[in-house]
Amino acid sequence: MSKSTRLITINPTSIDDALVTEAGAALADGKLVAIPTETVYGLGCNGLDPDAIAGVFEAKGRPASDPLIVHVDGVAMAETLIEGGLPAVAARLAAAFWPGPLTMVLPKTQIVPDAITSSGPTVGVRCPAHPVARALITASGVPVAAPSANRFGRISPTTAAHVVEELGDRIDLIVDAGPADYGVESTVVTFEGDDAVILRHGALTAEALAAHVTVREVEEAETEARAAAPGHDIRHYSPRTPAIATTTTPGDAAEGDIVYVAYEDREISLPSGWSFFSLGNRSDLELVARDLYANLRRLDAAAHDLIVIELAGAGGIGRAIDDRLIRAASGNVTTTAAALAEAVAEMRQAKPPSAPRRR
Ligand code: TXA
Ligand code: MG
């Protein structure tokens, strides 16, 4: 697949109506359009057009078994997608958090194509806070299906330049509106009765949700809700460089071209040959989240032999950060200095990575 991809810039604080009309028409017409949102850039298409949806799966290399979320410009459009309309608990969360980084998985109506939902009975719906995203949806006149605008399994894009790296020449149009505000994806919830079950931690914190609804983790939910998390493959958001996530500092691990990725709030002494890379200060995890994916891209480009990443180990947005870091490490988490040293030694011997495990 090779296309000539056009790039346009829309200033979110002074939106150019003619450009919005043009990009909205492209969406309505079945084109693949990368759109800015407050979380990460999305690869948007007409969510009612099965051919356009197939194009999104193809451009990303995403398996058909991993459903897309649909973006709406408000509750009225959401209600066209949700069987019986928003249930009371979802309406409450919509009132509190929409527009914003909350995706709600609910029973779908007939108009939602099977390609969106991987033939499942539910659809994920989100009303983005980004003014350009909402303007584009309104201009298109249709719900806009949009996964993150990266190749499948890779790091989500938080700038238009990242989208070019991931999908340049595979899509029709990229709308640049500057860097994303949150830098991590929306929080995805489903419902069990009146409780919200978090399928993916994200930009909206569990604590913020808990002020409005009883919140449960997917691990403690009924199997039905657990089965609803199909895309939550442990290998996701992955740099190409092998990575280990850790809750401890390295102690005396083997030397090598290894980068230790942590925070700048304390001194860490590193084994010989190791370098240090800061994700920012742990006292400002919002900022760490905003820069996280750009930093993972930088680390990948530096082509070290191994990346060792310290988890944030915090609540709030720290939950989303650690979730992405653990996935970047393909689930390989060490919790003692000895286990970390052992994992580093294993990776240094270039053994095929062992099965994801926590030790
Ligand atoms: O912030 C975001 O959510 C970004 C921006 C572009 O809006 N979008 C995004 O989409 O992250 P994506 O496709 O990369 O992640 C959506 C997640 C996937 O893990 C998918 O498996 C899950 O939501 N999902 C989508 N529909 C679902 C459904 N019906 N049931 C359960 N999970 C679903
Ligand atoms: Mg994604």
Side-chain angles (χ1 to χ4, degrees):
M1 183 178 357
S2 182
K3 295 184 179 233
S4 70
T5 304
R6 228 160 73 71
L7 181 72
I8 61 174
T9 300
I10 300 181
N11 179 350
T13 57
S14 163
I15 293 178
D16 182 322
D17 290 336
L19 289 176
V20 167
T21 303
E22 183 193 335
L27 280 166
D29 191 36
K31 300 285 195 293
L32 306 187
V33 181
I35 62 168
T37 85
E38 74 278 22
T39 56
V40 300
Y41 274 74
L43 174 54
C45 77
N46 179 340
L48 303 179
D49 177 345
D51 291 336
I53 296 160
V56 165
F57 279 93
E58 192 186 343
K60 278 188 61 110
R62 177 166 171 136
S65 56
D66 190 358
L68 304 184
I69 67 173
V70 182
H71 297 68
V72 296
D73 62 359
V75 167
M77 191 184 271
E79 302 238 306
T80 68
L81 306 172
I82 297 162
E83 189 58 41
L86 288 172
V89 57
R92 217 160 66 228
L93 294 184
F97 300 115
W98 277 3
L102 172 67
T103 299
M104 296 194 278
V105 171
L106 289 159
K108 74 174 194 85
T109 57
Q110 293 280 334
I111 71 159
V112 180
D114 281 341
I116 293 267
T117 66
S118 308
S119 300
T122 59
V123 62
V125 182
R126 147 162 141 81
C127 177
H130 199 295
V132 174
R134 271 208 324 288
L136 290 171
I137 299 163
T138 301
S140 75
V142 292
V144 172
S148 52
N150 50 280
R151 302 284 189 102
F152 181 68
R154 292 271 303 141
I155 301 163
S156 297
T158 53
T159 67
H162 296 161
V163 180
V164 173
E165 267 174 50
E166 294 287 323
L167 297 170
D169 83 6
R170 297 170 80 88
I171 64 178
D172 298 293
L173 182 63
I174 298 173
V175 178
D176 184 354
D181 285 337
Y182 288 100
V184 290
E185 298 82 351
S186 64
T187 302
V188 182
V189 303
T190 188
F191 297 95
E192 258 178 20
D194 282 340
D195 297 353
V197 177
I198 298 186
L199 299 180
R200 175 178 73 183
H201 282 276
L204 178 67
T205 65
E207 291 86 344
L209 275 168
H212 297 268
V213 66
T214 302
V215 174
R216 281 197 275 157
E217 296 292 327
V218 69
E219 294 77 15
E220 49 192 51
E222 304 294 328
T223 39
E224 204 181 316
R226 281 215 298 276
H232 302 145
D233 199 320
I234 199 73
R235 265 195 76 80
H236 222 104
Y237 313 101
S238 294
R240 294 189 175 89
T241 313
I244 300 170
T246 183
T247 60
T248 60
T249 48
D252 27 70
E255 34 182 282
D257 177 13
I258 297 170
V259 59
Y260 190 73
V261 180
Y263 312 85
E264 57 203 24
D265 50 352
R266 63 190 158 76
E267 290 283 313
I268 297 166
S269 69
L270 293 172
S272 127
W274 289 43
S275 52
F276 181 80
F277 185 99
S278 172
L279 293 175
N281 200 296
R282 235 189 285 241
S283 66
D284 190 353
L285 289 178
E286 277 73 28
L287 193 55
V288 170
R290 203 185 70 192
D291 295 339
L292 183 68
Y293 289 148
N295 280 331
L296 289 180
R297 280 172 193 274
R298 282 186 197 110
L299 283 164
D300 220 7
H304 298 284
D305 291 343
L306 179 63
I307 302 174
V308 177
I309 313 179
E310 199 175 306
L311 297 174
I317 196 87
R319 296 295 300 274
I321 293 170
D322 283 356
D323 172 83
R324 305 314 187 264
L325 293 179
I326 291 168
R327 288 170 203 276
S330 301
N332 217 336
V333 181
T334 63
T335 55
T336 65
L340 175 56
E342 188 196 323
V344 168
E346 262 177 42
M347 305 274 256
R348 294 285 299 146
Q349 287 163 28
K351 279 195 198 158
S354 42
R357 60 190 149 156
R358 183 176 273 275
R359 52 185 164 181

mmCIF file of all heavy atoms in Angstrom, residues 37 39-42 62 66-69 71 103 105 122-124 126 146-148 185-186 188 199-200 228 230-232, ligand 1:
data_model
loop_
_atom_site.group_PDB
_atom_site.id
_atom_site.type_symbol
_atom_site.label_atom_id
_atom_site.label_comp_id
_atom_site.label_asym_id
_atom_site.label_seq_id
_atom_site.Cartn_x
_atom_site.Cartn_y
_atom_site.Cartn_z
ATOM 1 N N THR A 37 -5.926 14.178 18.985
ATOM 2 C CA THR A 37 -6.856 14.169 20.121
ATOM 3 C C THR A 37 -6.054 14.585 21.346
ATOM 4 O O THR A 37 -4.834 14.720 21.266
ATOM 5 C CB THR A 37 -7.533 12.796 20.391
ATOM 6 O OG1 THR A 37 -6.677 11.994 21.204
ATOM 7 C CG2 THR A 37 -7.907 12.056 19.116
ATOM 8 N N THR A 39 -5.369 12.863 23.850
ATOM 9 C CA THR A 39 -4.584 11.756 24.423
ATOM 10 C C THR A 39 -3.393 11.431 23.529
ATOM 11 O O THR A 39 -2.238 11.658 23.903
ATOM 12 C CB THR A 39 -5.461 10.509 24.602
ATOM 13 O OG1 THR A 39 -6.057 10.168 23.341
ATOM 14 C CG2 THR A 39 -6.539 10.735 25.657
ATOM 15 N N VAL A 40 -3.675 10.888 22.349
ATOM 16 C CA VAL A 40 -2.656 10.560 21.343
ATOM 17 C C VAL A 40 -3.311 10.833 19.990
ATOM 18 O O VAL A 40 -4.511 11.071 19.913
ATOM 19 C CB VAL A 40 -2.216 9.069 21.426
ATOM 20 C CG1 VAL A 40 -1.633 8.751 22.798
ATOM 21 C CG2 VAL A 40 -3.364 8.117 21.095
ATOM 22 N N TYR A 41 -2.527 10.801 18.903
ATOM 23 C CA TYR A 41 -3.120 10.934 17.569
ATOM 24 C C TYR A 41 -3.850 9.649 17.201
ATOM 25 O O TYR A 41 -3.406 8.543 17.530
ATOM 26 C CB TYR A 41 -2.046 11.244 16.526
ATOM 27 C CG TYR A 41 -1.742 12.729 16.416
ATOM 28 C CD1 TYR A 41 -1.008 13.380 17.424
ATOM 29 C CD2 TYR A 41 -2.208 13.486 15.342
ATOM 30 C CE1 TYR A 41 -0.754 14.743 17.340
ATOM 31 C CE2 TYR A 41 -1.953 14.852 15.257
ATOM 32 C CZ TYR A 41 -1.227 15.474 16.253
ATOM 33 O OH TYR A 41 -0.991 16.826 16.176
ATOM 34 N N GLY A 42 -5.005 9.803 16.534
ATOM 35 C CA GLY A 42 -5.777 8.655 16.092
ATOM 36 C C GLY A 42 -5.747 8.534 14.579
ATOM 37 O O GLY A 42 -5.545 9.524 13.873
ATOM 38 N N ARG A 62 -3.256 -4.202 11.891
ATOM 39 C CA ARG A 62 -3.918 -4.620 13.127
ATOM 40 C C ARG A 62 -4.794 -5.840 12.872
ATOM 41 O O ARG A 62 -5.528 -5.872 11.878
ATOM 42 C CB ARG A 62 -4.779 -3.457 13.625
ATOM 43 C CG ARG A 62 -5.615 -3.718 14.871
ATOM 44 C CD ARG A 62 -6.087 -2.379 15.365
ATOM 45 N NE ARG A 62 -7.065 -2.391 16.410
ATOM 46 C CZ ARG A 62 -6.983 -1.568 17.469
ATOM 47 N NH1 ARG A 62 -5.970 -0.747 17.605
ATOM 48 N NH2 ARG A 62 -7.924 -1.561 18.371
ATOM 49 N N ASP A 66 -9.172 -7.241 16.975
ATOM 50 C CA ASP A 66 -8.982 -6.172 17.959
ATOM 51 C C ASP A 66 -9.871 -4.981 17.587
ATOM 52 O O ASP A 66 -9.577 -4.240 16.663
ATOM 53 C CB ASP A 66 -7.495 -5.772 17.970
ATOM 54 C CG ASP A 66 -7.150 -4.852 19.130
ATOM 55 O OD1 ASP A 66 -8.057 -4.501 19.906
ATOM 56 O OD2 ASP A 66 -5.974 -4.492 19.250
ATOM 57 N N PRO A 67 -10.981 -4.791 18.313
ATOM 58 C CA PRO A 67 -11.987 -3.805 17.905
ATOM 59 C C PRO A 67 -11.506 -2.353 17.995
ATOM 60 O O PRO A 67 -10.596 -2.035 18.752
ATOM 61 C CB PRO A 67 -13.133 -4.041 18.895
ATOM 62 C CG PRO A 67 -12.502 -4.687 20.077
ATOM 63 C CD PRO A 67 -11.355 -5.497 19.548
ATOM 64 N N LEU A 68 -12.156 -1.485 17.216
ATOM 65 C CA LEU A 68 -11.834 -0.052 17.220
ATOM 66 C C LEU A 68 -12.804 0.694 18.125
ATOM 67 O O LEU A 68 -13.950 0.277 18.290
ATOM 68 C CB LEU A 68 -11.979 0.527 15.810
ATOM 69 C CG LEU A 68 -11.180 -0.121 14.692
ATOM 70 C CD1 LEU A 68 -11.395 0.666 13.389
ATOM 71 C CD2 LEU A 68 -9.701 -0.194 15.036
ATOM 72 N N ILE A 69 -12.357 1.814 18.674
ATOM 73 C CA ILE A 69 -13.288 2.688 19.380
ATOM 74 C C ILE A 69 -13.813 3.751 18.416
ATOM 75 O O ILE A 69 -13.181 4.055 17.404
ATOM 76 C CB ILE A 69 -12.660 3.336 20.642
ATOM 77 C CG1 ILE A 69 -11.560 4.322 20.292
ATOM 78 C CG2 ILE A 69 -12.151 2.262 21.582
ATOM 79 C CD1 ILE A 69 -11.044 5.085 21.519
ATOM 80 N N HIS A 71 -15.396 7.635 17.858
ATOM 81 C CA HIS A 71 -15.376 8.975 18.438
ATOM 82 C C HIS A 71 -16.614 9.746 18.003
ATOM 83 O O HIS A 71 -16.972 9.725 16.822
ATOM 84 C CB HIS A 71 -14.104 9.701 18.015
ATOM 85 C CG HIS A 71 -12.854 9.032 18.518
ATOM 86 N ND1 HIS A 71 -12.445 7.801 18.051
ATOM 87 C CD2 HIS A 71 -11.947 9.399 19.452
ATOM 88 C CE1 HIS A 71 -11.322 7.446 18.694
ATOM 89 N NE2 HIS A 71 -11.003 8.396 19.540
ATOM 90 N N THR A 103 -13.339 6.259 27.468
ATOM 91 C CA THR A 103 -14.008 5.409 26.477
ATOM 92 C C THR A 103 -14.911 4.440 27.216
ATOM 93 O O THR A 103 -14.456 3.755 28.133
ATOM 94 C CB THR A 103 -12.971 4.632 25.633
ATOM 95 O OG1 THR A 103 -12.150 5.574 24.936
ATOM 96 C CG2 THR A 103 -13.654 3.707 24.634
ATOM 97 N N VAL A 105 -17.425 1.163 26.964
ATOM 98 C CA VAL A 105 -17.792 0.002 26.159
ATOM 99 C C VAL A 105 -19.202 -0.432 26.548
ATOM 100 O O VAL A 105 -19.457 -0.781 27.704
ATOM 101 C CB VAL A 105 -16.773 -1.142 26.372
ATOM 102 C CG1 VAL A 105 -17.253 -2.433 25.723
ATOM 103 C CG2 VAL A 105 -15.397 -0.747 25.841
ATOM 104 N N THR A 122 -20.488 -5.364 21.604
ATOM 105 C CA THR A 122 -20.312 -4.066 22.254
ATOM 106 C C THR A 122 -19.458 -3.137 21.394
ATOM 107 O O THR A 122 -18.711 -3.574 20.526
ATOM 108 C CB THR A 122 -19.600 -4.226 23.623
ATOM 109 O OG1 THR A 122 -18.333 -4.847 23.403
ATOM 110 C CG2 THR A 122 -20.427 -5.050 24.591
ATOM 111 N N VAL A 123 -19.595 -1.837 21.691
ATOM 112 C CA VAL A 123 -18.787 -0.836 20.991
ATOM 113 C C VAL A 123 -18.189 0.126 22.028
ATOM 114 O O VAL A 123 -18.842 0.470 23.010
ATOM 115 C CB VAL A 123 -19.628 -0.074 19.940
ATOM 116 C CG1 VAL A 123 -20.781 0.711 20.576
ATOM 117 C CG2 VAL A 123 -18.752 0.860 19.107
ATOM 118 N N GLY A 124 -16.941 0.514 21.806
ATOM 119 C CA GLY A 124 -16.288 1.510 22.656
ATOM 120 C C GLY A 124 -16.548 2.897 22.082
ATOM 121 O O GLY A 124 -16.322 3.135 20.900
ATOM 122 N N ARG A 126 -16.175 7.214 22.617
ATOM 123 C CA ARG A 126 -15.515 8.295 23.352
ATOM 124 C C ARG A 126 -15.788 9.623 22.665
ATOM 125 O O ARG A 126 -15.794 9.706 21.429
ATOM 126 C CB ARG A 126 -14.017 7.974 23.409
ATOM 127 C CG ARG A 126 -13.057 9.140 23.400
ATOM 128 C CD ARG A 126 -11.690 8.679 23.892
ATOM 129 N NE ARG A 126 -10.572 9.274 23.183
ATOM 130 C CZ ARG A 126 -10.072 10.499 23.416
ATOM 131 N NH1 ARG A 126 -10.623 11.277 24.343
ATOM 132 N NH2 ARG A 126 -9.042 10.948 22.726
ATOM 133 N N ALA A 146 -11.420 5.470 15.359
ATOM 134 C CA ALA A 146 -10.002 5.844 15.366
ATOM 135 C C ALA A 146 -9.223 5.093 16.427
ATOM 136 O O ALA A 146 -9.364 5.349 17.623
ATOM 137 C CB ALA A 146 -9.831 7.347 15.578
ATOM 138 N N PRO A 147 -8.386 4.154 15.992
ATOM 139 C CA PRO A 147 -7.386 3.597 16.909
ATOM 140 C C PRO A 147 -6.220 4.581 16.972
ATOM 141 O O PRO A 147 -6.171 5.547 16.199
ATOM 142 C CB PRO A 147 -6.963 2.311 16.207
ATOM 143 C CG PRO A 147 -7.108 2.619 14.750
ATOM 144 C CD PRO A 147 -8.266 3.596 14.639
ATOM 145 N N SER A 148 -5.274 4.360 17.861
ATOM 146 C CA SER A 148 -4.066 5.175 17.859
ATOM 147 C C SER A 148 -3.362 5.001 16.506
ATOM 148 O O SER A 148 -3.389 3.920 15.919
ATOM 149 C CB SER A 148 -3.158 4.774 19.023
ATOM 150 O OG SER A 148 -2.938 3.374 19.019
ATOM 151 N N GLU A 185 -3.207 7.097 26.255
ATOM 152 C CA GLU A 185 -4.526 6.912 25.691
ATOM 153 C C GLU A 185 -5.630 7.091 26.736
ATOM 154 O O GLU A 185 -5.367 7.128 27.939
ATOM 155 C CB GLU A 185 -4.650 5.510 25.071
ATOM 156 C CG GLU A 185 -3.705 5.224 23.924
ATOM 157 C CD GLU A 185 -2.311 4.814 24.366
ATOM 158 O OE1 GLU A 185 -1.993 4.907 25.570
ATOM 159 O OE2 GLU A 185 -1.535 4.374 23.497
ATOM 160 N N SER A 186 -6.862 7.102 26.224
ATOM 161 C CA SER A 186 -8.025 7.231 27.101
ATOM 162 C C SER A 186 -8.136 6.018 28.023
ATOM 163 O O SER A 186 -7.617 4.941 27.744
ATOM 164 C CB SER A 186 -9.292 7.344 26.257
ATOM 165 O OG SER A 186 -9.507 6.154 25.514
ATOM 166 N N VAL A 188 -10.317 3.089 29.340
ATOM 167 C CA VAL A 188 -11.427 2.310 28.766
ATOM 168 C C VAL A 188 -12.151 1.584 29.897
ATOM 169 O O VAL A 188 -11.519 0.853 30.661
ATOM 170 C CB VAL A 188 -10.920 1.281 27.726
ATOM 171 C CG1 VAL A 188 -12.092 0.512 27.114
ATOM 172 C CG2 VAL A 188 -10.103 1.965 26.633
ATOM 173 N N LEU A 199 -10.917 -1.497 31.814
ATOM 174 C CA LEU A 199 -10.284 -2.429 30.870
ATOM 175 C C LEU A 199 -8.888 -1.951 30.496
ATOM 176 O O LEU A 199 -8.032 -2.748 30.123
ATOM 177 C CB LEU A 199 -11.130 -2.562 29.606
ATOM 178 C CG LEU A 199 -12.545 -3.101 29.798
ATOM 179 C CD1 LEU A 199 -13.266 -3.169 28.457
ATOM 180 C CD2 LEU A 199 -12.522 -4.476 30.452
ATOM 181 N N ARG A 200 -8.676 -0.627 30.544
ATOM 182 C CA ARG A 200 -7.345 -0.083 30.261
ATOM 183 C C ARG A 200 -7.188 1.199 31.082
ATOM 184 O O ARG A 200 -7.997 2.115 30.962
ATOM 185 C CB ARG A 200 -7.183 0.256 28.771
ATOM 186 C CG ARG A 200 -5.853 0.950 28.460
ATOM 187 C CD ARG A 200 -5.667 1.247 26.979
ATOM 188 N NE ARG A 200 -6.524 2.340 26.526
ATOM 189 C CZ ARG A 200 -6.578 2.755 25.252
ATOM 190 N NH1 ARG A 200 -5.862 2.158 24.325
ATOM 191 N NH2 ARG A 200 -7.365 3.751 24.911
ATOM 192 N N ALA A 228 -13.894 -8.968 27.618
ATOM 193 C CA ALA A 228 -14.132 -7.751 26.836
ATOM 194 C C ALA A 228 -12.864 -6.956 26.603
ATOM 195 O O ALA A 228 -12.902 -5.887 26.045
ATOM 196 C CB ALA A 228 -15.172 -6.882 27.538
ATOM 197 N N PRO A 230 -10.079 -7.492 24.583
ATOM 198 C CA PRO A 230 -9.372 -8.305 23.599
ATOM 199 C C PRO A 230 -8.046 -7.725 23.141
ATOM 200 O O PRO A 230 -7.124 -8.450 22.834
ATOM 201 C CB PRO A 230 -10.351 -8.365 22.417
ATOM 202 C CG PRO A 230 -11.191 -7.143 22.546
ATOM 203 C CD PRO A 230 -11.272 -6.866 24.009
ATOM 204 N N GLY A 231 -7.948 -6.389 23.095
ATOM 205 C CA GLY A 231 -6.736 -5.797 22.531
ATOM 206 C C GLY A 231 -5.631 -5.644 23.545
ATOM 207 O O GLY A 231 -4.617 -5.012 23.276
ATOM 208 N N HIS A 232 -5.820 -6.209 24.714
ATOM 209 C CA HIS A 232 -4.886 -5.867 25.765
ATOM 210 C C HIS A 232 -3.759 -6.881 25.865
ATOM 211 O O HIS A 232 -3.451 -7.425 26.899
ATOM 212 C CB HIS A 232 -5.650 -5.590 27.051
ATOM 213 C CG HIS A 232 -6.629 -4.474 26.816
ATOM 214 N ND1 HIS A 232 -7.851 -4.402 27.396
ATOM 215 C CD2 HIS A 232 -6.542 -3.407 25.997
ATOM 216 C CE1 HIS A 232 -8.480 -3.321 26.955
ATOM 217 N NE2 HIS A 232 -7.707 -2.706 26.096
HETATM 218 O O1 TXA B 1 -7.103 7.784 23.603
HETATM 219 C C1 TXA B 1 -7.490 6.870 22.890
HETATM 220 O O2 TXA B 1 -8.295 6.000 23.280
HETATM 221 C C2 TXA B 1 -6.959 6.839 21.446
HETATM 222 C C3 TXA B 1 -7.421 8.104 20.747
HETATM 223 C C4 TXA B 1 -7.079 8.097 19.277
HETATM 224 O O3 TXA B 1 -8.792 8.292 20.948
HETATM 225 N N1 TXA B 1 -7.424 5.661 20.781
HETATM 226 C C5 TXA B 1 -6.937 4.424 21.087
HETATM 227 O O4 TXA B 1 -7.465 3.415 20.308
HETATM 228 O O5 TXA B 1 -6.099 4.255 21.934
HETATM 229 P P1 TXA B 1 -6.808 1.955 20.296
HETATM 230 O O6 TXA B 1 -7.579 1.200 19.268
HETATM 231 O O7 TXA B 1 -5.362 2.078 20.082
HETATM 232 O O8 TXA B 1 -7.148 1.401 21.700
HETATM 233 C C6 TXA B 1 -8.496 1.128 22.052
HETATM 234 C C7 TXA B 1 -8.540 -0.053 22.977
HETATM 235 C C8 TXA B 1 -7.976 -1.305 22.339
HETATM 236 O O9 TXA B 1 -7.168 -1.963 23.296
HETATM 237 C C9 TXA B 1 -9.215 -2.131 22.025
HETATM 238 O O10 TXA B 1 -8.952 -3.523 22.114
HETATM 239 C C10 TXA B 1 -10.168 -1.695 23.110
HETATM 240 O O11 TXA B 1 -9.904 -0.322 23.293
HETATM 241 N N2 TXA B 1 -11.558 -1.841 22.661
HETATM 242 C C11 TXA B 1 -12.140 -1.262 21.585
HETATM 243 N N3 TXA B 1 -13.421 -1.676 21.457
HETATM 244 C C12 TXA B 1 -13.651 -2.531 22.465
HETATM 245 C C13 TXA B 1 -14.778 -3.299 22.862
HETATM 246 N N4 TXA B 1 -15.936 -3.282 22.188
HETATM 247 N N5 TXA B 1 -14.650 -4.075 23.960
HETATM 248 C C14 TXA B 1 -13.480 -4.088 24.645
HETATM 249 N N6 TXA B 1 -12.378 -3.392 24.326
HETATM 250 C C15 TXA B 1 -12.462 -2.625 23.239
#
